[in-house]
Amino acid sequence: VRRREAEQQLRDSEALYESLVESLPLNLLRKNLDGQLTFANQRYCQSLGRTREEMLGSTDYDLFPDELADKYTTDDRQIMETREVLETTESHVLPDGETRYVHVLKTPVYDAKSNVVGVQGIFWDVTARREAELALEHERFLLTSLLDSIPDNIFFKDREGRYLRVNRAMASRLGLNQPDDAVGKSAADFFRQEYLDEIAAAEARTVHEGISTVGSEQLVTWPDGNRNWVAVTRMPLREPNGNITGCFGVSHDITDQKMAQEAMAEARDAAESASEAKSNFLANMSHEIRTPMNAIIGLTELVLDTDLSQSQ
């Protein structure tokens, strides 16, 4: 009776285990010391397009390209020798050639005497997450490439005016070796007080009122003492829900343009002065010429309209 009860308990335990491993949204497998599959749940079999009967007893070289099989075999051997857990994300090639990304957890399998008798693995599909991560990495690469190559000064700040990020050009202007050296610092660490008041006022409008400024012209004294004119554009930095968490901006050197404008203004003033001098000259000359001419014309008319005496 006890034997039958023990056998029934064993069958119940096996049924419970079978139900558990088949209901989990995971791929489960187990291999012996020779790398042969001794267990594979239905999800793992379906992912490779084979039946369990076809899977059991096979090795990685029967299921995957040699390059992947070499990797899996090396990993398994290291796990069994070191008895350490392996957790990683790796590519997984399906029979139709499609590449999927899976998160893998492999551990040694022990017998009742704590001897390593194989390796077991659990993995699940993380292709969507991995593709999102790769897309994010690509976007970061594009953004970093843009920030590092653009010659204008670009900055991002939080609501307290602390730098979140600057590009390489801005870091150079601030006298920093790396853009990361600016993180956490504020304008007060780099600029004089007269410019700080202007910065604070502009950023307050952007951060607290959401007002953008485009092409605001400012004369800046940089930490190295150089001064130049810049056109600054500031815009609020918003979260997806619309909350303003800071500001970002671009400042463009317009010193040459400003000098050209000043030269043009000076030329215009000089031209206007010359024109006014010419007008004054002509007015004066007209007056000087007109007065004697009037006398001559008047006397001539007088002579012509009267009888001439001997003296006339």
Side-chain angles (χ1 to χ4, degrees), residues 173-175 189-191 220-226:
R173 294 299 271 152
L174 295 177
D189 295 307
F190 305 104
F191 298 106
V220 182
T221 301
W222 297 96
D224 59 4
N226 288 328

Side-chain angles (χ1 to χ4, degrees), residues 24 26-29 103-107 120-124:
L24 290 174
L26 306 170
N27 297 272
L28 289 89
L29 59 100
H103 192 83
V104 180
L105 181 65
K106 284 186 176 182
T107 60
Q120 62 185 3
I122 303 173
F123 66 91
W124 56 95

Side-chain angles (χ1 to χ4, degrees), residues 242-258:
N243 291 336
I244 298 176
T245 61
C247 69
F248 66 96
V250 180
S251 68
H252 175 66
D253 191 326
I254 59 170
T255 304
D256 292 341
Q257 176 183 339
K258 199 73 174 175

Side-chain angles (χ1 to χ4, degrees), residues 29-33 75-87 105-111 114-122:
L29 59 100
R30 191 179 302 120
K31 304 175 191 176
N32 60 21
L33 293 174
D75 290 343
D76 294 346
R77 188 176 298 112
Q78 182 177 2
I79 291 169
M80 290 184 289
E81 291 176 355
T82 64
R83 301 194 176 197
E84 294 179 351
V85 175
L86 172 66
E87 184 172 7
L105 181 65
K106 284 186 176 182
T107 60
V109 176
Y110 301 96
D111 62 13
S114 297
N115 296 316
V116 175
V117 294
V119 63
Q120 62 185 3
I122 303 173

